[in-house]
Amino acid sequence: MLLERIKVHSESLGDRPALTAGEEVVRWGELWPMAQGLAAKLREQGTGPVALIGDPGQVWVPVAFVACLLAGRPYLPLDPLLPPAGQGELLEQAGAVLLDRQRAEEGFSSDLSCPLPDDPHRIAYEIFTSGSTGTPKLVEVSLSNLEHFLRWASALPEIAAVLGGTAVGQAAWSFDLSVADLYLSLLGGGTHVALTPAEKEDFPALFRRLEKSDLSLLVATPSFLRLCLTEPSFGPARLPKLRTVFSCGEVLPPAAARRLLDRFPGVALLNAYGPTEATCAVCAVPISREMCGGPLPIGTIGEGAVDISLEEGEIILTGASVSPRFGGKYSTGDLGYVENGLLYWAGRRDLQLKYKGYRLEPARIEGVLEALPQVERAAVLPRRDGAGQVKGLTAFVEGTGLEPEKLAQALADLLPPYQIPGQWKLLDRLPLTPNGKCDRKRLEEML
């Protein structure tokens, strides 16, 4: 399905931009011949995974992704910010060969052709998890996994309405959130705009790019959305064609959702959830202004890409999006609960704490905090004694006009006493990992 659609678009859309980043552009008419040329070279050279190291400002990387899919060889995107020694360790672990830009471009210009592989269950890509809950794990995603995700996501009314338009992706290629914006754009014959590292570090350049792109779909982490919302001009006047925001990769704070919906009254905001092991995202729910008074749901039971169930509070995924390694069923390690048919995330099982004889999930406390009007973002960490036992809770909070005593009182009205943090640290901004998630390791250093 995917490759056939890309081929048809390449033959019919001619000079329309397919992939752009910074000043680099690959047009639709160029995409298929370039990918064919490299695919033929790759198929001649072997069958194992092909690693690529390139930032989102380099359009050769996604062209090489398509070439790998054509060649029947899994691709492995690595973080260019990772030190060489770390890159080497991951290459060795994956058994991958490195493809650099020079050799890729030699393939693009080779004028060779490569027939479509006939195995729909072959591995499309391999990707390392962020390691935020431990050592990075290598996850294999098959072409059938990827196509199942795309069928589900493209059928969402909020996504279907913008297929064929311009999709802007914020995530690095090594972060699987990028799968959503890149392949939905290629599937629909649209234009994909990858934000460069320089643009993401320079506010004026970032907003010039967003404005110039005429984006209709924005795929981003909540942290990136919150960053954009600090700019007063981030609104319909500059982005008149924006119709859908797909938020995934971390918890979406109610305050950020409320501000986005207030700023863009006509835009659909999808809050999505899904682990790397189940192909980017498995469920999503449109967020309304009325939902922003408490923790936000992440999906609707019965309407996801896979079957979603709870076993002793843990989210279990069963279906065609789950990586082949898990035999179609994946225990996520994420805790959840259902209210009125909506699924809510309640933290990580491995972050559960035993405190004062009670078992608690810090994420539930964080969700209550983030639902308070003055709180932008919160993280709750345990303080431990020399024996490793929890002796107290510390809340790290980002927001405006914060007063620890009033925050504690607000929680006391909503939570039992043992869930009220005894220590508060107010931060201008919570530290983030390169993938935009809360960096709990850095917060632990502040305890």
Side-chain angles (χ1 to χ4, degrees):
M1 172 192 77
L2 174 61
L3 288 172
E4 290 83 354
R5 291 279 289 274
I6 294 173
K7 181 176 185 290
V8 169
H9 294 322
S10 186
E11 292 171 344
S12 62
L13 296 178
D15 287 339
R16 180 176 181 179
L19 302 163
T20 71
E23 301 305 315
E24 297 187 6
V25 178
V26 172
R27 302 189 182 279
W28 269 109
E30 302 169 323
L31 176 56
W32 191 254
M34 291 171 66
Q36 282 255 307
L38 177 57
K41 291 279 191 181
L42 292 174
R43 191 175 289 187
E44 290 173 356
Q45 295 165 3
T47 59
V50 178
L52 302 100
I53 302 174
D55 64 49
Q58 300 173 332
V59 293
W60 72 271
V61 178
V63 181
F65 291 169
V66 177
C68 289
L69 296 180
L70 263 169
R73 297 184 64 175
Y75 68 81
L76 171 66
L78 294 180
D79 185 352
L81 298 179
L82 195 64
Q87 293 174 352
E89 288 179 8
L90 297 184
L91 283 170
E92 183 176 356
Q93 181 179 337
V97 296
L98 182 63
L99 176 69
D100 60 27
R101 181 167 189 161
Q102 180 179 342
R103 290 195 300 122
E105 291 181 341
E106 289 171 357
F108 296 156
S109 60
S110 69
D111 291 328
L112 297 174
S113 62
C114 184
L116 289 171
D118 57 6
D119 179 10
H121 301 293
R122 65 188 182 276
I123 300 302
Y125 65 85
E126 298 180 352
I127 197 163
F128 282 97
T129 61
S130 65
S132 57
T133 58
T135 303
K137 297 181 298 179
L138 184 64
V139 175
E140 297 175 333
V141 174
S142 70
L143 182 62
S144 58
N145 291 153
L146 176 58
E147 292 187 334
H148 184 79
F149 161 73
L150 291 172
R151 278 191 288 269
W152 166 75
S154 63
L156 295 171
E158 298 82 4
I159 298 294
V162 294
L163 277 183
T166 298
V168 172
Q170 161 253 329
W173 302 126
S174 55
F175 181 15
D176 73 322
L177 178 57
S178 64
V179 167
D181 48 85
L182 175 62
Y183 287 111
L184 285 171
S185 183
L186 292 177
L187 183 74
T191 297
H192 181 268
V193 178
L195 298 175
T196 68
E199 288 168 345
K200 285 184 280 189
E201 293 173 2
D202 181 347
F203 248 30
L206 169 64
F207 287 101
R208 283 196 301 271
R209 175 61 60 190
L210 293 177
E211 187 173 22
K212 183 180 178 181
S213 70
D214 283 336
L215 80 158
S216 53
L217 170 65
L218 175 61
V219 177
T221 63
S223 293
F224 182 79
L225 297 177
R226 291 170 58 247
L227 181 66
C228 290
L229 286 165
T230 62
E231 168 56 47
S233 68
F234 181 67
R238 293 192 75 169
L239 307 174
K241 295 185 179 180
L242 180 60
R243 293 290 176 270
T244 302
V245 174
F246 186 88
S247 174
C248 194
E250 57 176 339
V251 175
L252 176 63
R258 184 167 53 244
R259 288 165 57 207
L260 183 72
L261 293 170
D262 287 346
R263 193 81 63 87
F264 293 91
V267 165
L269 171 59
L270 288 174
N271 190 28
Y273 162 81
T276 304
E277 294 84 352
T279 318
C280 186
V282 297
C283 57
V285 60
I287 300 300
S288 67
R289 184 66 171 73
E290 292 69 32
M291 292 177 175
C292 296
L296 299 175
I298 57 174
T300 302
I301 294 296
E303 297 182 6
V306 297
D307 179 66
I308 300 173
S309 60
L310 297 176
E311 295 183 7
E312 297 182 351
E314 182 179 5
I315 299 174
I316 308 296
L317 308 177
T318 307
S321 290
V322 176
S323 169
R325 177 172 298 185
F326 303 100
K329 182 177 181 179
Y330 180 61
S331 301
T332 65
D334 290 322
L335 300 171
Y337 61 97
V338 177
E339 288 185 0
N340 300 318
L342 295 175
L343 177 67
Y344 292 79
W345 186 79
R348 291 283 306 170
R349 179 180 289 279
D350 49 18
L351 292 179
Q352 277 187 326
L353 303 175
K354 191 73 174 293
Y355 179 49
K356 293 185 176 180
Y358 298 94
R359 189 167 297 280
L360 60 85
E361 292 85 32
R364 294 294 292 268
I365 307 172
E366 293 165 3
V368 174
L369 271 172
E370 290 178 343
L372 300 176
Q374 66 271 41
V375 175
E376 284 287 340
R377 191 162 182 168
V380 175
L381 274 69
R383 301 190 308 279
R384 300 181 185 272
D385 60 22
Q389 300 298 310
V390 178
K391 63 178 183 179
L393 301 175
T394 298
F396 296 86
V397 186
E398 172 188 337
T400 55
L402 300 175
E403 298 180 38
E405 296 79 7
K406 291 184 178 180
L407 292 173
Q409 183 55 55
L411 287 189
D413 294 337
L414 300 167
L415 297 174
Y418 66 88
Q419 294 190 22
I420 311 302
Q423 187 178 91
W424 297 81
K425 292 185 180 290
L426 308 182
L427 303 179
D428 293 334
R429 181 167 295 174
L430 265 64
L432 304 177
T433 67
N435 284 348
K437 299 181 181 182
C438 180
D439 192 337
R440 293 181 180 272
K441 292 179 181 178
R442 286 183 59 190
L443 291 178
E444 288 174 358
E445 297 170 359
M446 303 180 193
L447 288 173

